[in-house]
């Protein structure tokens, strides 16, 4: 995982604005027949750069080899999108009804962050995903 303090700074800057529910936020059920990668690819088919980010952040893992929630050893980052739980868990649950410890919630909150801040919350891993065609296409579209 490529997570550094800079992601915490970017994310905390985002949190200075209040979280508001959005009508476009879509929580997609996870099927046990799917892999996490299949789920992420399907959920973010419209935003391929987020697929590249998930690959870099967690190698498409929501849980570790023991089936426990994937956690960064050096921060409070969790799940497939390595969302900082110390910064986001309470607000995501309270204001949006999202549990970021689940694959559905982690992905939905990643979409919320992306819709409001673009790829900035994942700048710490940009050296990995920023080289991808998906990132180049995203930058060309904005």
């Amino acid at each position: 995982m490529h997570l550094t303090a800079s992601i915490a700074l970017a994310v905390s800057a985002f949190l200075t604005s209040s979280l508001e529910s959005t009508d476009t936020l879509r929580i997609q059920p996870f099927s046990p027949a799917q892999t996490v990668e299949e789920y992420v690819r399907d959920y973010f088919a419209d935003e391929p750069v987020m697929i590249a980010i998930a690959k870099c952040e967690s190698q498409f893992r929501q849980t570790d080899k023991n089936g426990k929630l994937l956690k960064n050893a050096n921060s409070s980052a969790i799940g497939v999108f390595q969302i900082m739980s110390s910064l986001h868990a309470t607000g995501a649950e309270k204001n949006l009804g999202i549990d970021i410890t689940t694959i559905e919630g982690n992905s939905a909150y990643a979409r919320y962050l992306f819709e409001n801040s673009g790829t900035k919350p994942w700048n710490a891993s940009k050296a990995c995903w920023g080289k991808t065609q998906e990132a180049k296409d995203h930058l060309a579209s904005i």
Side-chain angles (χ1 to χ4, degrees):
M1 281 172 261
H2 300 89
L3 189 63
T4 64
S6 62
I7 195 168
L9 293 174
V11 170
S12 63
F14 166 77
L15 287 176
T16 59
S17 62
S18 63
L19 295 176
E20 295 178 9
S21 183
T22 174
D23 293 334
T24 62
L25 190 62
R26 172 177 56 98
I27 298 179
Q28 178 173 307
F30 177 71
S31 166
Q34 289 178 298
T35 65
V36 171
E37 181 175 353
E38 290 169 338
Y39 178 85
V40 169
R41 286 185 182 282
D42 183 49
Y43 187 75
F44 285 102
D46 61 330
E47 296 294 351
V49 69
M50 293 302 291
I51 298 167
I53 287 171
K55 181 177 181 181
C56 289
E57 288 288 347
S58 67
Q59 297 299 304
F60 297 113
R61 294 176 298 146
Q62 176 68 16
T63 59
D64 65 17
K65 64 183 178 182
N66 298 316
K68 294 186 179 188
L69 179 63
L70 184 67
K71 295 181 180 181
N72 184 289
N74 301 314
S75 72
S76 67
I78 59 171
V80 68
F81 284 96
Q82 289 294 281
I83 295 171
M84 299 290 284
S85 62
S86 62
L87 299 173
H88 294 285
T90 301
E93 180 69 39
K94 181 179 174 184
N95 298 317
L96 300 172
I98 296 173
D99 178 1
I100 64 170
T101 66
T102 67
I103 181 66
E104 298 94 341
N106 201 271
S107 297
Y109 197 71
R111 180 172 291 277
Y112 176 82
L113 288 174
F114 179 76
E115 288 175 356
N116 288 280
S117 299
T119 58
K120 287 179 186 175
W122 296 278
N123 276 349
S125 63
K126 191 173 184 176
C128 175
W129 58 263
K131 299 173 188 174
T132 66
Q133 187 61 49
E134 293 86 355
K136 291 173 187 173
D137 292 345
H138 172 70
L139 289 173
S141 73
I142 55 174

